[in-house]
Amino acid sequence: MSDPSAREDVIGQSVIRRDLLEKVTGAAEYTVDITMPGALHAKIVRSDRAHARILDIDAREALTLPGVVSVITSDDLRGLYPRFGHIIADHCILAIDKVRYYGEPVALVLAETVHEAADAAELVRVTYEDLAAVLDADQALAPGAPLVHEQRYASSDDDSFRLLTGGKGKVATEAAAELSNVAHQVTLEWGDADAALREADIVVESEVHFPMLYAYAMEPYNAVASYSADGLTVISTAQHPYMVRDDLARIFDLPLSRVRVRAPYLGGGYGSKSYTKVEPLAAVGSWVARRPVKLVLDVEESIYTTRADPADVKITSGFTKDGRILVRVIDMVMDSGAYADNSPLVLAKALNRSFGPYRVPTLRATGRSLYTNTAPASSYRGFGAPQGALAGETNLDQAADRLGITSADIRRLNLVDRDEEILPGKRGLDADIKADLEMVLASLNRDAKDVAGYGVGFACTASDAGAYPVSTAQVRVQTDGSVTVLSGSTEMGQGSRSALAQIASHELGIDMSRVQVVQSDTAITPYERTTGASRTTTLVGLALQRACEDARKRVREMAAEIMACDGDEVTDVPGGVSTPGQAFLSYGDVIKAWFGAAAGEVTGVGLVRREGVTEKMPPFWEIGMVGVAVQVDSDTGVVTVDQLVTVADVGFAINPQAVEAQDLGAATQGLGMALYEELVYDGAQLANANVVDYRVPRATDVPAKLDLMIAQRRDGVGPYGAKGAGEGTLNPVGAAVAAAVARATGKWPDRLPLTPERVWTLISDSGSAKE
Amino acid sequence: MTLPDFALARPDTLEEALALLGDDQVPYCGGTELLLAMKVGLQRPETLVDVKRVPELRGVRSSHGELVIGGASTHDDLSRDALVREVLPLLAEVEAHVGNARVRVQGSIGGNLCFAEPKSDVATTLIALDASVTLQSSSGRRTLLVRDFIVGPYYADKEPGELLIDVRIPLVATRRGAYVKFQVTERPTVGVAVVQDTETGACRVVVGAVGEIPVWRDWASVADIDVEELSSAVDPVEDLTGSERYKRHLTAVFVRRALRDLERSS
Ligand SMILES: Cc1cc2nc3c(=O)[nH]c(=O)nc-3n(C[C@H](O)[C@H](O)[C@H](O)COP(=O)(O)OP(=O)(O)OC[C@H]3O[C@@H](n4cnc5c(N)ncnc54)[C@H](O)[C@@H]3O)c2cc1C
C-alpha cells in the first residue's frame, strides 16, 4: 500500500487543516489557556543593567504585600543543577553572582494573583556593582575586553552535535582554548585557499552585516509547572518537548520518565521556541512552593528571552575568467549574547550555508560565536542560512558583474548537479537545483518590466536539513478500525497534524476522518528529537509509515492465527486484510476476534535512526529558490516588492496547499528581515523591544504578484519521495532583495534591512550604504 | 505589563462627569493611549472617568458655519460619517488611515488631541483646517485653536478638571486640501497637510509628526510656498524611523507631494 498511486486521493491533496476551525473560532487550546488547581502566578524580577555583580537582593518589602508567597533567587536553588543549555550548560535559571544582560531573570516572585506578583516584583530591591560591559561583537573581541563568562561549562558529549556541524574535509568545532568572549568557533576547510586565490583570474571581496532579529510569534513564551513527589509536569510553548525534558531532568536529578513535558498548539515559534526557555523558571518556582506555578511573559520579555544572531561576514571568492568558482574564503562573526543556547549550531550552519550549493573546489570558512552582554541568541527559521546566503549570494552577483556575465549564468555554471556533494562526505544533492533556477528565471522574465527604479534579484540556497534523524511514531488501531497516531513532534502552525493524518490514512487505507493525531506529550507520545529543520513530514512521516506497516503486520499475523491459515496467505487490503477463507476482514474484525471480546487494540511502532535511507547526513537537502522584483522610490528610498517567485522543491507535496502556505509565510518573514526588521540596542537596552517599533511584515506588504511553484520529482527520502518545506524559502530572500535593490539603484547594499533611509542614503551618497 | 488596579466611573451626564474629575480622576475614552501608559507605569490614576456616555461628546453636526465633532467620536466613526464625508472629505480620508483598525475603532479625536502625541495625523490636519476645541470644566467653558491647544509633545493646554467637549472646524465652501504622510511603522514619520482657499489663493501648510509639535506656515499663494524654508524650519526628532537629515529631506518631498495632490483635488 506504499504504492502512492493506490490512494492518491488522500496524499497529494490539499486537505482542510485539522486545526483550522478551532483556531479561527478561538477554541484552540494554547499553553496560556491551561490552569492547574491551586496554581501560583510568577513574575520575573529582571536585571536593569547589562553587566553587574549582584551584591544583595532584598525581598523583605515585597514579601509583606498581600498574596505574595515567595521570592526565589539563585540561593534558593541549592541542591539543584542551577543551569541549563543543551549544547553548553551555561544558562543560569536565575542569575548567579552576576547579571550578564539587561532583562536577565534575577528573582522570581510567586503570588496568588498575576497583579500581586507584578506589584511585588517592583518592590524587590537588587543592589549591584556595575561591571564594564561588552555590548557588541567588536567590543567583545577587543583586546582586554571584560569577560561575559569567567569560566567554562560542561559541553554536550552528544556526538550528533558534531555530525550536524561538519562535513568530511577538515572540520573543527570547539570552544576557544583560552578564556575569552568566544563562546564557540568553527572551521571548515578543504584545499589550499591561499594558493587557489593566487591562481584565480579575479578575486571578489565583499562584506555584509546581517541584522539582529526577533522571531516574532504571536504567542509569547509561557509555561505552567507542577512539581510533586510524583515528579515534574510542565506544559509549555516548547517546539522540542523532549529536549526540554532532558534539561529539566538534569536540573532536578529526576529520571527522564518522571519528567512530563507537554506542548499544546504553539502560537508560532519560528525557531524561537526551540530548546529550553522559561520552563526551568516555572519548574523551580513549583519546586520551592510545592504548588503549581504559571508564568506568562509579555512580548518585551520574550524579546529579551531569545533573539536571533546578527552576523558580520567577510567573503573573498576567486574565479576563473569564464566564471568558475575556484575558492571561497569566509570569515563570520556572530553576536550570540549572554548565553550560548543554540548559537554554536547556528554558527556551524551559517558557515556551511555561506558558500552556496556550488562546486567550490577550495574552501576556508571560519566562524566565531561571541558572548556579549546582550539578550541570548538562538535558532531562527533557516538556522544561519539567511546570514550565510546574504554574504555568499551577493558576493556571487558582484562577481558576475565584474566578470561581465549574468547572475543567472554564473549560477548555471557553478551550481552542483543532482547527487553531487556540496559538503564532502555528506549526502549528495537530492534535487535538481538547476531546473529549479530555470523555473524562477522563467517566471521573473515573463513579468519583467523596463522602468526606472525597477530591479530583479534572485538567490538560491541548499541547507542540510532534517537535523539528526531520530524519530519514532506509534499507531494504535482500535476495535472499530479507527486509528490514533502518536508523535512527539509539535504542531506549531506548520500543519503537521494534517500531513500525518494523510499519511496514516493512506498507509492503512482508512478515511482521514477516522485518524486522530496526538502530539507532544512526553508521557504519552513517543520520542521525537526536535520539531525543526523542516523535518517532520520527512522523518516523522517515515516513522509513521513504518508504524503503519508494523501495525498491518501484526494484524496479518493475528488474522492468520484466527483464520488458521499461513501467514503469507494473508494480504493487506484498504482498511483490513484478505484471507483465503474471507475476502475482507476489517482491522476491527481481526482485533476483536483475536482478543475474543469486543475489546483490545493493536499498536504499531515505527523507528527512524541513522540507517538505511537516513544513514547519510543530512537526511535531505532543503532548497531555497526565490526571485523578487522591486520598485524603489528614489525620493524616499521605499522598496516595494512587486513580485515574488518561489520554488518549493519538496519531492512530493503531501498537502500542496500547506506547502504553498509555508512558502508564502517563509518568504514574507524573509521580506521582514530584508526590509523592516532589526532589533536595535541603545546602550544596555533595546530601543525597540515591542512590535510597534520592531516592524514585522503586514498583510499589505505581501507582493502583488505571487508565483508559488512546487517542484515534485519524488527525490526525497521521506514518504512517497517527500522532502521538507518550511525554512528553505526564507533563506535566500534577503540576498534576493539585496540584489534586486542593487539592480534598481546601481549600488550594492551591504546590510539588511533595507529600510527607506538606508536605501535613500545608498542612492544619494557616493560609496556604499555603510553606517 | 499588567494594568494596575483602578476604579471605573461611567457618568451619563456632563455635570456628573465634570464633578468626578480631579488630579487622580482622569478622563478615559478609547483608552488606546491611556491604558498603555498605565500598563508601563507612566500613570497610575485612581479613577478612570469614562466620557463615552456623555451626550455632548457624541455625534457630528453642522452649526453656524462650523462642523461640530463630539470629542468622543472615534476615528472610524469620522471616516464613515456621511456629513464629514460630504463637507470635509479630507478629514474623513485622514481618519480612515490613522494607525490600525483597532486604534480607529477605539481611539477618539478628543483623546488624540488631549494626549498630544507628536506623531499625529489628526492634529496636523485640524491645524490646517483652522479648527478649535471646546474645553469645559465645572467652572466654565473656553475655546482654543488646535494650534494653540497643542503646546508641546504629550502636552496639551488642558486642566485636570477640563473635558474636551468638541472640535469645531469652520466650513468654507471655497476651500480645498490635501494630506500626505510617510509611514512605515504604526505612526507617521512625516505628515503634511495643505489647505487652500481657492478664492483668495491663500494657503496653509502644516508639517506634523516629524518634530515635537506641528509646524505651520501661511502663504499668499501656492507659488509663494518655500519648501526649503519649511524643511529647514522643522525640528526633526531622530528615532528609528530616520535621522534628522533624512527627515528634513522627507519633509521637502512630502510638502511637494501634498502640493501635487492639492493641484489634483477639486
Ligand atoms: C498603535 C497606535 C497607532 C497610532 N497611530 C496613529 C496614527 O497613525 N495617526 C494618528 O493621528 N494617531 C495615531 N495614534 C493615536 C490615536 O489616534 C490615539 O491613540 C487615540 O485617538 C486616542 O484616543 P482615545 O480615545 O483612545 O484616548 P485615551 O487613551 O482614552 O485618552 C488619551 C488621553 O486623553 C485624555 N482624554 C481622552 N478623552 C478626553 C476628553 N474628551 N477630554 C479630556 N481629556 C481626554 C485622557 O485622560 C488621556 O490622557 C495611534 C495610537 C496607537 C496606540
Side-chain angles (χ1 to χ4, degrees):
Chain A
M1 229 167 305
S2 285
D3 171 13
S5 55
R7 283 181 62 89
E8 290 274 356
D9 52 325
V10 192
I11 53 156
Q13 292 301 313
S14 295
V15 300
I16 291 179
R17 294 179 68 108
R18 304 219 126 189
D19 46 349
L20 177 83
L21 213 62
E22 46 175 332
K23 282 185 176 167
V24 170
T25 57
E29 182 184 67
Y30 293 89
T31 302
V32 77
D33 298 316
I34 295 169
T35 52
M36 289 184 180
L40 291 168
H41 295 270
K43 179 77 187 175
I44 299 169
V45 178
R46 293 176 181 276
S47 163
D48 62 357
R49 56 204 68 207
H51 197 193
R53 198 159 301 289
I54 301 170
L55 301 180
D56 181 53
I57 302 175
D58 180 356
R60 279 170 301 183
E61 197 184 345
L63 284 166
T64 61
L65 287 199
V68 176
V69 172
S70 179
V71 176
I72 302 169
T73 70
S74 62
D75 283 348
D76 300 304
L77 308 187
R78 293 226 171 84
L80 300 183
Y81 187 91
R83 297 173 203 274
F84 62 94
H86 63 288
I87 299 175
I88 302 173
D90 61 0
H91 208 142
C92 305
I93 300 171
L94 288 163
I96 300 172
D97 299 331
K98 70 172 190 171
V99 291
R100 295 183 172 83
Y101 68 98
Y102 179 100
E104 176 159 15
V106 174
L108 189 72
V109 177
L110 304 180
E112 300 291 342
T113 70
V114 175
H115 279 87
E116 287 162 348
D119 285 347
E122 285 177 23
L123 298 180
V124 176
R125 315 252 177 260
V126 186
T127 316
Y128 297 100
E129 175 192 311
D130 278 312
L131 299 169
V134 289
L135 294 171
D136 60 30
D138 287 344
Q139 291 177 17
L141 286 173
L147 292 175
V148 179
H149 293 267
E150 291 94 351
Q151 66 177 102
R152 294 247 161 268
Y153 307 90
S155 283
S156 168
D157 54 5
D158 184 350
D159 201 38
S160 64
F161 173 63
R162 189 185 54 76
L163 281 161
L164 283 171
T165 52
K168 228 195 240 153
K170 189 181 143 211
V171 179
T173 137
E174 70 219 35
E178 279 170 45
L179 267 185
S180 73
N181 287 318
V182 178
H184 195 76
Q185 52 193 16
V186 178
T187 309
L188 193 56
E189 192 167 10
W190 54 81
D192 181 341
D194 296 319
L197 281 174
R198 280 193 300 271
E199 282 157 31
D201 292 322
I202 73 151
V203 172
V204 179
E205 284 180 61
S206 56
E207 224 180 305
V208 292
H209 175 77
F210 185 89
M212 185 187 290
L213 298 173
Y214 173 57
Y216 172 67
M218 279 197 275
E219 175 196 44
Y221 298 109
N222 68 103
V224 52
S226 173
Y227 191 97
S228 70
D230 200 33
L232 173 65
T233 298
V234 179
I235 300 162
S236 145
T237 54
Q239 278 180 236
H240 313 335
Y242 274 93
M243 287 274 191
V244 174
R245 178 196 66 164
D246 295 358
D247 263 329
L248 291 172
R250 178 169 56 184
I251 292 168
F252 296 100
D253 194 21
L254 282 171
L256 293 176
S257 58
R258 282 177 53 197
V259 179
R260 178 180 189 181
V261 180
R262 178 159 91 80
Y265 286 134
L266 256 59
Y270 315 108
S272 71
K273 289 173 183 161
S274 310
Y275 310 103
T276 306
K277 305 294 177 196
V278 295
E279 298 85 358
L281 282 166
V284 299
S286 179
W287 178 77
V288 168
R290 296 294 154 143
R291 283 171 65 178
V293 167
K294 190 168 175 68
L295 172 64
V296 180
L297 306 196
D298 60 30
V299 173
E300 179 173 358
E301 291 181 288
S302 295
I303 292 174
Y304 279 112
T305 300
T306 308
R307 57 172 178 84
D309 293 85
D312 289 303
V313 193
K314 286 192 194 104
I315 177 162
T316 307
S317 309
F319 299 84
T320 61
K321 54 181 173 305
D322 61 351
R324 276 175 212 285
I325 299 171
L326 287 174
V327 54
R328 302 195 96 171
V329 175
I330 293 137
D331 179 48
M332 183 178 304
V333 171
M334 284 184 159
D335 172 353
S336 300
Y339 295 105
D341 202 314
N342 206 38
S343 287
L345 196 54
V346 174
L347 171 72
K349 297 286 184 182
L351 216 55
N352 84 29
R353 294 161 180 185
S354 62
F355 45 89
Y358 305 109
R359 226 162 273 134
V360 181
T362 302
L363 177 84
R364 185 172 68 225
T366 49
R368 283 167 294 173
S369 155
L370 305 181
Y371 283 131
T372 62
N373 293 115
T374 62
S378 186
S379 313
Y380 178 90
R381 194 177 194 169
F383 234 94
Q387 288 94 324
L390 177 68
E393 288 293 278
T394 56
N395 178 268
L396 198 66
D397 283 324
Q398 290 169 44
D401 289 357
R402 289 264 304 275
L403 289 155
I405 60 177
T406 65
S407 290
D409 281 341
I410 199 166
R411 288 178 172 79
R412 287 184 181 115
L413 206 58
N414 289 293
L415 279 171
V416 296
D417 287 315
R418 175 181 293 286
D419 294 331
E420 206 177 329
E421 286 176 356
I422 297 172
L423 289 170
K426 297 270 174 170
R427 182 184 297 274
L429 189 69
D430 51 354
D432 186 347
I433 193 169
K434 289 181 173 169
D436 296 338
L437 174 66
E438 298 305 328
M439 287 167 75
V440 162
L441 294 174
S443 181
L444 287 171
N445 287 337
R446 207 161 40 235
D447 288 307
K449 278 188 205 167
D450 189 14
V451 294
Y454 196 81
V456 170
F458 48 87
C460 30
T461 56
S463 319
D464 45 337
Y468 198 77
V470 173
S471 225
T472 73
Q474 292 175 11
V475 288
R476 293 166 53 198
V477 185
Q478 309 298 320
T479 50
D480 63 355
S482 69
V483 162
T484 308
V485 171
L486 298 175
S487 162
S489 169
T490 302
E491 171 59 70
M492 49 187 292
Q494 83 281 45
S496 62
R497 194 154 297 186
S498 301
L500 297 179
Q502 284 175 281
I503 293 169
S505 158
H506 174 80
E507 293 299 321
L508 297 171
I510 57 171
D511 196 79
M512 240 183 84
S513 63
R514 299 180 64 75
V515 180
Q516 182 71 3
V517 181
V518 176
Q519 291 172 277
S520 292
D521 181 339
T522 62
I524 294 169
T525 61
Y527 187 86
E528 181 62 29
R529 188 177 163 101
T530 55
T531 305
S534 303
R535 68 188 257 135
T536 303
T537 301
T538 310
L539 295 180
V540 184
L542 267 185
L544 177 55
Q545 257 187 327
R546 290 173 188 175
C548 292
E549 204 177 290
D550 186 43
R552 290 198 314 263
K553 180 171 150 267
R554 284 170 201 270
V555 172
R556 284 199 307 272
E557 285 166 2
M558 290 170 160
E561 192 183 323
I562 56 178
M563 299 303 289
C565 63
D566 245 20
D568 50 18
E569 288 175 312
V570 185
T571 53
D572 287 332
V573 292
V577 292
S578 187
T579 65
Q582 187 136 9
F584 179 73
L585 277 170
S586 72
Y587 298 133
D589 294 339
V590 175
I591 292 167
K592 283 184 279 192
W594 193 88
F595 281 96
E601 70 174 36
V602 165
T603 303
V605 175
L607 308 176
V608 170
R609 59 177 174 153
R610 274 197 66 215
E611 173 206 46
V613 292
T614 49
E615 160 103 55
K616 273 221 145 181
M617 292 288 280
F620 62 96
W621 287 93
E622 188 176 6
I623 304 300
M625 186 62 73
V626 169
V628 293
V630 305
Q631 180 71 51
V632 175
D633 178 343
S634 58
D635 281 343
T636 59
V638 169
V639 177
T640 307
V641 182
D642 181 50
Q643 186 183 5
L644 169 73
V645 181
T646 64
V647 176
D649 186 333
V650 293
F652 176 71
I654 288 168
N655 183 354
Q657 196 178 40
V659 172
E660 285 175 9
Q662 278 299 304
D663 271 9
L664 181 55
T668 307
Q669 199 160 23
L671 292 178
M673 65 178 70
L675 296 173
Y676 320 110
E677 295 182 38
E678 179 169 29
L679 286 175
V680 179
Y681 263 95
D682 180 8
Q685 225 177 318
L686 283 165
N688 56 349
N690 62 70
V691 271
V692 171
D693 298 312
Y694 183 82
R695 182 3 179 133
V696 295
R698 306 174 181 156
T700 47
D701 296 324
V702 174
K705 269 180 287 176
L706 297 174
D707 191 1
L708 308 169
M709 294 177 278
I710 304 182
Q712 304 199 59
R713 306 187 188 101
R714 301 221 183 221
D715 43 13
V717 297
Y720 329 115
K723 294 176 279 189
E727 292 193 343
T729 296
L730 177 139
N731 298 339
V733 174
V737 171
V741 168
R743 301 303 177 211
T745 62
K747 287 183 183 166
W748 276 97
D750 62 1
R751 54 167 54 215
L752 299 180
L754 290 163
T755 58
E757 179 166 12
R758 279 199 187 128
V759 175
W760 175 74
T761 309
L762 185 71
I763 299 168
S764 46
D765 291 3
S766 51
S768 75
K770 237 182 173 156
E771 281 177 0
Chain B
M1 286 286 257
T2 39
L3 208 49
D5 287 338
F6 59 87
L8 179 65
R10 311 195 101 174
D12 291 310
T13 68
L14 184 57
E15 290 67 33
E16 276 178 74
L18 293 175
L20 284 163
L21 292 179
D23 282 342
D24 279 328
Q25 294 75 27
V26 306
Y28 152 71
C29 193
T32 56
E33 303 285 18
L34 182 61
L35 298 186
L36 282 183
M38 287 167 63
K39 274 188 186 170
V40 299
L42 291 174
Q43 286 193 50
R44 204 160 182 162
E46 195 177 276
T47 308
L48 301 191
V49 180
D50 186 352
V51 300
K52 290 191 287 291
R53 297 178 178 190
V54 175
E56 285 85 346
L57 270 73
R58 306 215 58 108
V60 179
R61 66 202 147 88
S62 130
S63 153
H64 302 97
E66 283 183 329
L67 187 70
V68 183
I69 298 171
S73 307
T74 68
H75 303 297
D76 189 61
D77 291 341
L78 296 174
S79 71
R80 293 165 195 279
D81 187 273
L83 181 60
V84 178
R85 296 196 73 87
E86 188 200 325
V87 300
L88 266 179
L90 174 65
L91 182 64
E93 261 316 286
V94 170
E95 292 289 12
H97 293 100
V98 162
N100 57 48
R102 271 176 69 192
V103 168
R104 288 193 294 273
V105 294
Q106 251 180 288
S108 63
I109 189 168
N112 182 296
L113 293 175
C114 291
F115 197 70
E117 148 77 59
K119 294 190 170 180
S120 167
D121 301 303
V122 178
T124 307
T125 309
L126 291 176
I127 292 172
L129 292 167
D130 221 20
S132 57
V133 292
T134 309
L135 300 170
Q136 187 162 344
S137 66
S138 25
S139 57
R141 176 183 274 248
R142 62 188 177 120
T143 300
L144 220 60
L145 285 171
V146 172
R147 66 175 195 241
D148 297 328
F149 181 61
I150 307 289
V151 189
Y154 309 101
Y155 179 33
D157 179 1
K158 185 183 79 73
E159 298 302 320
E162 282 182 318
L163 273 187
L164 186 155
I165 307 294
D166 55 44
V167 176
R168 291 171 184 249
I169 305 168
L171 289 174
V172 182
T174 54
R175 201 157 63 174
R176 61 176 188 168
Y179 183 79
V180 289
K181 63 170 161 177
F182 181 74
Q183 185 163 340
V184 284
T185 59
E186 295 286 317
R187 299 175 195 261
T189 301
V190 178
V192 178
V194 47
V195 170
Q196 183 184 34
D197 187 326
T198 52
E199 214 164 66
T200 65
C203 54
R204 171 174 295 177
V205 181
V206 189
V207 182
V210 70
E212 292 195 329
I213 51 169
V215 168
W216 56 277
R217 289 280 186 281
D218 285 328
W219 314 87
S221 76
V222 169
D224 290 327
I225 293 174
D226 184 346
V227 178
E228 296 313 315
E229 192 276 327
L230 249 174
S231 64
S232 52
V234 294
D235 189 6
V237 177
E238 297 210 324
D239 58 20
L240 294 176
T241 68
S243 64
E244 181 188 334
R245 181 172 94 107
Y246 180 58
K247 287 188 173 184
R248 273 195 208 290
H249 165 78
L250 281 180
T251 300
V253 170
F254 280 82
V255 170
R256 288 197 196 94
R257 288 186 181 180
L259 294 175
R260 182 198 61 199
D261 284 6
L262 182 76
E263 289 309 318
R264 288 186 193 148
S265 70
S266 44

